[in-house]
Amino acid sequence: MWRKLRITVLLLILATVVQQTWLDKADLAWKNNFYIAVYPINADGSSKVSAYLRTLTRDDFEAVAEYFAQEAAPYHLGLRRPIEVQLGAAVDKIPPAPPNGGSVLNNVVWSLKFRYFAWKNSPKVNVKPDIRLYLLYYDPLTTLSLSHSTALNKGRIGRVNLFGDSAYVKQNLVILAHELLHTLNATDKYDLGTTLPIYPDGYAEPDKTPLYPQDFAELMGGRVPISEAQAVIPKSLQQTIVGEKTAREIGWLK
């Protein structure tokens, strides 16, 4: 009896995985636009970040939708705005952090915990979201550098670390857009050890002569290469592009 029950459960899990994989592939045909819900979180509990979150409006994220409309235009998706961003209510809980150098099992367990968190902490927005991003804001005066953000394409959820200060709005949107594309199967195109973009896919202009300095960052490359050994964070989304390999990964280019 227990053997039959285990087999039934495994078959149900397999069916769910197959169905989700099929749905993910169907979504990336871009027959419809993606609705993203962003949920602000006061990650350090400071009064400064709390005050900053109260100032946020949907318009603060409009640049992301406009950016992806601009970048998608050459690929003729047939969608005027392939990405729409909705601002959800603030969430007062913090999603589980990914394990540091964890085993495959630890990462799987964390992934399940994160998905459960998202299921329990998704305040309603006007349109049911395809992607949910939890924006963890920190006071830049007490948190001098942000830890690595993480997003999952299975479940299409992200844990995005940002600075809760108006001076960082434009750079925050670069991080947000980068993590958003991870939920759509885009891969990182920088060296995890050095953070330098990997040539050629992590370069916005791999055919430029001379190669350095580059003028733009490839969004998933993360930085603007100034020389072979130096790269800087882009000032805004307008200093980034979606490169050819990334476009292929997210289904814009066949």
Side-chain angles (χ1 to χ4, degrees):
M1 176 181 174
W2 286 111
R3 183 171 180 273
K4 288 182 179 179
L5 181 60
R6 283 201 307 272
I7 291 173
T8 300
V9 170
L10 289 172
L11 287 174
L12 287 172
I13 293 172
L14 178 61
T16 301
V17 170
V18 170
Q19 181 189 40
Q20 187 61 53
T21 300
W22 182 85
L23 288 172
D24 288 348
K25 289 182 178 178
D27 284 347
L28 291 182
W30 293 92
K31 295 185 183 300
N32 299 293
N33 53 1
F34 278 90
Y35 281 88
I36 290 81
V38 294
Y39 298 112
I41 297 174
N42 185 347
D44 61 12
S46 69
S47 57
K48 179 178 178 179
V49 171
S50 181
Y52 176 73
L53 296 192
R54 288 196 294 271
T55 71
L56 292 177
T57 68
R58 182 184 178 280
D59 289 344
D60 292 309
F61 302 94
E62 176 62 15
V64 175
E66 292 177 350
Y67 169 78
F68 283 116
Q70 168 189 303
E71 290 299 300
Y75 298 100
H76 307 291
L77 300 182
L79 299 171
R80 188 175 67 86
R81 286 166 62 97
I83 297 289
E84 292 286 357
V85 183
Q86 305 173 95
L87 175 61
V91 170
D92 59 7
K93 295 182 176 63
I94 296 179
N100 289 322
S103 65
V104 172
L105 178 59
N106 285 340
N107 284 322
V108 169
V109 171
W110 166 74
S111 170
L112 293 173
K113 287 181 177 178
F114 189 11
R115 281 189 256 187
Y116 178 73
F117 172 91
W119 178 66
K120 294 284 287 183
N121 296 276
S122 294
K124 287 186 178 180
V125 288
N126 289 336
V127 180
K128 183 179 179 181
D130 304 293
I131 298 168
R132 289 162 292 174
L133 299 179
Y134 295 89
L135 311 184
L136 281 67
Y137 286 95
Y138 296 85
D139 181 351
L141 295 180
T142 55
T143 300
L144 301 183
S145 63
L146 296 169
S147 59
H148 193 70
S149 298
T150 311
L152 302 174
N153 61 345
K154 300 301 182 187
R156 293 203 167 126
I157 50 178
R159 188 183 193 277
V160 188
N161 297 313
L162 306 172
F163 283 128
D165 188 296
S166 58
Y168 294 88
V169 168
K170 291 183 178 180
Q171 287 190 352
N172 281 347
L173 294 184
V174 174
I175 299 172
L176 190 159
H178 176 101
E179 296 304 324
L180 192 162
L181 287 196
H182 274 314
T183 71
L184 297 174
N185 296 346
T187 59
D188 282 324
K189 294 170 182 64
Y190 61 86
D191 185 291
L192 296 178
T194 65
T195 72
L196 291 173
I198 298 171
Y199 182 84
D201 296 324
Y203 280 53
E205 305 165 291
D207 299 323
K208 183 183 177 186
T209 304
L211 185 58
Y212 304 106
Q214 294 270 301
D215 297 310
F216 299 92
E218 202 284 332
L219 184 58
M220 302 310 292
R223 294 175 183 251
V224 182
I226 301 302
S227 68
E228 188 174 349
Q230 184 183 9
V232 297
I233 296 172
K235 295 177 181 178
S236 72
L237 281 171
Q238 293 309 310
Q239 201 181 4
T240 75
I241 69 162
V242 174
E244 183 175 309
K245 184 174 181 180
T246 298
R248 194 177 301 279
E249 289 171 339
I250 65 175
W252 285 2
L253 184 62
K254 305 302 180 184

